Amino acid sequence: MTTVSTQFVPLTADDFRARLREALAIYVEAMRYPPGTAEQRAPMWLTHALRDGWRGFAALDADGRLLGIAYGYRGNPGQWWHEQVRRGLVRSGGEAAADHWLADYFELTEIHVHPRSQAHGIGENLLRRLLDGVPNRHVLLSTPEGPSRAWKLYRRVGFVDVLRDYHFAGDPRPFAILGRALPLEPPGGASVTPAGS
Ligand SMILES: CC(C)(COP(=O)(O)OP(=O)(O)OC[C@H]1O[C@@H](n2cnc3c(N)ncnc32)[C@H](O)[C@@H]1OP(=O)(O)O)[C@@H](O)C(=O)NCCC(=O)NCCS
């Protein structure tokens, strides 16, 4: 259960830049990547924060320390991820499938909760808050294939398969592209899971 002391706060791009190191540290721990990964990812995360429709949310403990982070932006032609997914969709389902999903979507780019704070509802809370009010028709994300807590979360909030076992250029791991229409249905009738619930 999300503890009463967990706060969920929207991030401006400036807030995000100020917390970049902290956010990357959570990402590296959550994904179990080697520590050097943070440095590699930093320029990309900074570039993301400049994109059209960027928004982020943070989960903080009572002392203001970051427990979790989620961000995304409007997906657009010319972006690497968009073009990779278009290629995969055209190959598997044709132009119509690509247009359906890619015409107007929000890319949920990153969502991570520190391992010590996982399994308390923080991830779902971040995801719901991040997507609440997003003006796009769809939300899309990519996640490594295989059972994980992330998969359970995405299924629980209604994400469906868009592409499975997809290989992004330069990455040997198979990924799933998942998506759904926006807005999300409220959990149990409330619009957003309240902090402290
Ligand atoms: C994926 C991730 C962000 C999910 O965050 P989380 O806080 O662990 O996940 P949830 O909010 O879904 O909570 C998970 C558990 O808490 C419980 N829970 C969910 N909502 C709850 C709520 N409102 N109150 C209490 N408990 C809740 C559920 O029972 C769930 O259990 P389960 O995972 O066994 O099904 C997090 O696990 C993580 O960082 N994983 C590693 C990194 C990663 O894979 N990121 C995504 C890459 S695509």
Side-chain angles (χ1 to χ4, degrees):
M1 190 147 306
T2 312
T3 60
V4 184
S5 55
T6 307
Q7 291 181 70
F8 294 90
V9 294
L11 295 175
T12 64
D14 279 345
D15 297 333
F16 176 71
R17 284 187 277 271
R19 287 196 179 263
L20 184 67
R21 282 191 180 282
E22 223 184 336
L24 283 165
I26 287 183
Y27 160 74
V28 165
E29 292 265 3
M31 297 298 285
R32 295 186 163 77
Y33 286 153
T37 315
E39 231 165 276
Q40 283 170 13
R41 300 295 287 200
M44 191 181 297
W45 284 32
L46 289 172
T47 304
H48 289 164
L50 300 172
R51 288 191 173 163
D52 187 23
W54 185 92
R55 56 162 71 196
F57 254 90
L60 305 176
D61 71 9
D63 297 319
R65 282 185 299 251
L66 203 60
L67 301 176
I69 178 96
Y71 77 77
Y73 45 80
R74 182 193 160 85
N76 273 315
Q79 294 166 354
W80 182 84
W81 193 90
H82 178 104
E83 297 304 332
Q84 288 282 308
V85 173
R86 168 164 279 281
R87 182 190 70 165
L89 279 171
V90 168
R91 279 183 189 167
S92 77
E95 291 283 344
D99 291 345
H100 171 76
W101 285 107
L102 297 175
D104 180 22
Y105 74 100
F106 181 83
E107 181 189 330
L108 200 175
T109 315
E110 304 288 350
I111 179 163
H112 307 288
V113 173
H114 192 282
R116 277 198 304 273
S117 301
Q118 290 177 13
H120 297 284
I122 293 176
E124 181 170 344
N125 215 314
L126 280 172
L127 182 146
R128 288 188 173 280
R129 285 167 190 270
L130 183 71
L131 296 180
D132 192 35
V134 165
N136 307 107
R137 249 173 73 204
H138 291 113
V139 51
L140 291 175
L141 60 85
S142 52
T143 192
E145 290 282 357
S148 68
R149 183 158 278 145
W151 269 92
K152 284 165 101 176
L153 168 60
Y154 301 145
R155 290 300 198 215
R156 194 162 64 239
V157 298
F159 279 81
V160 299
D161 293 348
V162 173
L163 259 181
R164 296 295 303 269
D165 290 305
Y166 183 63
H167 286 269
F168 286 97
D171 194 329
R173 298 170 299 169
F175 278 78
I177 316 298
L178 305 179
R180 60 154 294 156
L182 288 174
L184 301 190
E185 296 80 21
S191 61
V192 167
T193 311
S197 66

